[in-house]
Amino acid sequence: MSFHPLVKKAALLAASVTVAVTGSAGIAGASTSAPYLQYGSRGEGVKCVQIAVNWANAFQVELAEDGIWGKQTQYAVVAFQRWKLGDSQADGIVGPNTGDKLMETLREYNVATANYCYRYLPTH
């Protein structure tokens, strides 16, 4: 079956536009408007922190991914910060610096989870 050259060109153009649009979308970054997360926080942001810390193996105990920031999550975040940011930034609060590192971890291990969590983690 042979197609008219204009039909072929139109089909190629449509395909290349689709690739360009989906390719430029890429992986989501993170939210500069997401609230800081810390001891006592609850919700999807905390769950994303717990998932990232577990995947990074930054803490000797696997955290429950329940969205509740308790003592174990606090210890794990501090351990993650010491490893990724150094002792001077290990304050147990997820702000933009820690959020950037958590997003790197999420992107490395599971793009779908990173794309979900981007809106819940503060970053630059």
Side-chain angles (χ1 to χ4, degrees):
M1 174 185 253
S2 179
F3 290 102
H4 189 276
L6 288 177
V7 174
K8 285 183 182 178
K9 284 184 182 179
L12 287 173
L13 178 61
S16 63
V17 167
T18 301
V19 168
V21 168
T22 57
S24 67
I27 298 172
S31 176
T32 55
S33 63
Y36 283 31
L37 301 166
Q38 60 192 345
Y39 188 84
S41 296
R42 290 176 175 259
E44 292 302 303
V46 175
K47 192 173 190 177
C48 291
V49 168
Q50 292 165 332
I51 291 167
V53 170
N54 280 340
W55 284 345
N57 290 317
F59 191 57
Q60 66 271 19
V61 176
E62 186 166 330
L63 298 174
E65 295 169 358
D66 59 4
I68 301 169
W69 191 308
K71 288 180 184 178
Q72 293 296 322
T73 300
Q74 182 70 17
Y75 297 142
V77 167
V78 169
F80 179 86
Q81 289 173 320
R82 282 190 176 123
W83 177 39
K84 294 288 188 173
L85 299 168
D87 287 340
S88 66
Q89 293 191 46
D91 60 3
I93 298 170
V94 175
N97 291 337
T98 303
D100 286 342
K101 295 300 181 183
L102 291 166
M103 283 303 298
E104 285 176 16
T105 300
L106 291 171
R107 282 189 204 107
E108 182 180 340
Y109 288 97
N110 189 307
V111 173
T113 302
N115 283 336
Y116 173 76
C117 288
Y118 84 94
R119 69 188 77 127
Y120 299 109
L121 296 176
T123 63
H124 292 106

